[in-house]
Amino acid sequence: RSEFYAGPVFTDGKTYSFEGGTSVRTDTGYGFALGFGHKFNPRLSGAIELEWSGSDYRATVQPGPGNPNAAATLNGTLDTWTVRFLGTYHFIEGPFTPFVTGGLGWTYLDTNIPTGLPQNICWYYPWYGSYCGSYVPPDTTTKFSYNAGVGLRMELGKGYVRALASQQWVDYGGSSGSGSATQYRIDFGIRF
């Protein structure tokens, strides 16, 4: 059987340390996930998920070698969009079951840190015509990501609800390596 699910995502706040002494502290993040899955048998299923999450952060940026300026702090919002393919194994058959899940995908990160001067641009909307405004290009990147989690699932007729705690890792590459975030979800689904 196939299934569709959606639910809120809560991401724990965390402190990250980077090369040169720069550090970032994120607040608890909030987001939303959508998924489409298929149950191959009563214990094994696969899915594709789309997830958005956003969290506020405070960064302490250290000056580079030879820079006489003091450390600077900045506040911003980190937005992430993830697409992942995952598999889930249910330990028992029946309407109530614990499960483990793991997946691979890509995460798009938008730090909302400006990378240039504001640009004035114009474009045409289909229903009300021309619009002009300013745009500041932000620092963005897309990176490989993977996750693993555990949870409980309860089937209720053609629907179900599941609670899930997972860890997501994003491979930043270079000297930054990978970073992780703990996420909690409550998914509401329908089987068809």
Side-chain angles (χ1 to χ4, degrees):
R1 301 181 82 167
S2 295
E3 52 191 37
F4 174 79
Y5 56 91
V9 178
F10 305 96
T11 305
D12 272 350
K14 187 174 180 180
T15 299
Y16 299 90
S17 296
F18 297 95
E19 183 179 13
T22 294
S23 64
V24 176
R25 172 70 185 159
T26 60
D27 294 336
T28 299
Y30 305 95
F32 193 74
L34 294 171
F36 176 78
H38 183 77
K39 247 183 154 175
F40 302 108
N41 60 48
R43 292 196 179 196
L44 186 62
S45 63
I48 182 172
E49 289 183 348
L50 300 172
E51 179 184 289
W52 166 82
S53 184
S55 63
D56 292 333
Y57 67 85
R58 180 179 178 90
T60 303
V61 181
Q62 299 295 331
N67 185 344
N69 295 323
T73 59
L74 62 96
N75 297 319
T77 302
L78 175 66
D79 292 310
T80 63
W81 292 267
T82 299
V83 59
R84 72 174 62 99
F85 301 91
L86 54 96
T88 301
Y89 178 78
H90 299 91
F91 289 104
I92 57 176
E93 297 180 25
F96 182 73
T97 178
F99 65 87
V100 292
T101 185
L104 304 170
W106 297 271
T107 298
Y108 172 83
L109 298 116
D110 183 352
T111 63
N112 290 296
I113 296 174
T115 59
L117 297 173
Q119 303 169 5
N120 291 323
I121 57 174
C122 298
W123 60 89
Y124 286 92
Y125 278 110
W127 289 278
Y128 57 89
S130 177
Y131 174 81
C132 293
S134 65
Y135 170 75
V136 178
D139 187 24
T140 62
T141 187
T142 301
K143 298 295 184 183
F144 175 73
S145 61
Y146 48 100
N147 73 308
V150 296
L152 296 170
R153 174 179 166 132
M154 171 63 95
E155 295 184 359
L156 308 163
K158 289 191 178 245
Y160 67 89
V161 63
R162 70 180 185 170
L164 170 67
S166 67
Q167 192 77 14
Q168 175 165 301
W169 293 269
V170 176
D171 185 9
Y172 298 115
S175 62
S176 298
S178 66
S180 65
T182 304
Q183 296 183 318
Y184 304 96
R185 290 182 13 199
I186 300 172
D187 293 337
F188 302 92
I190 186 165
R191 299 176 294 147
F192 50 92

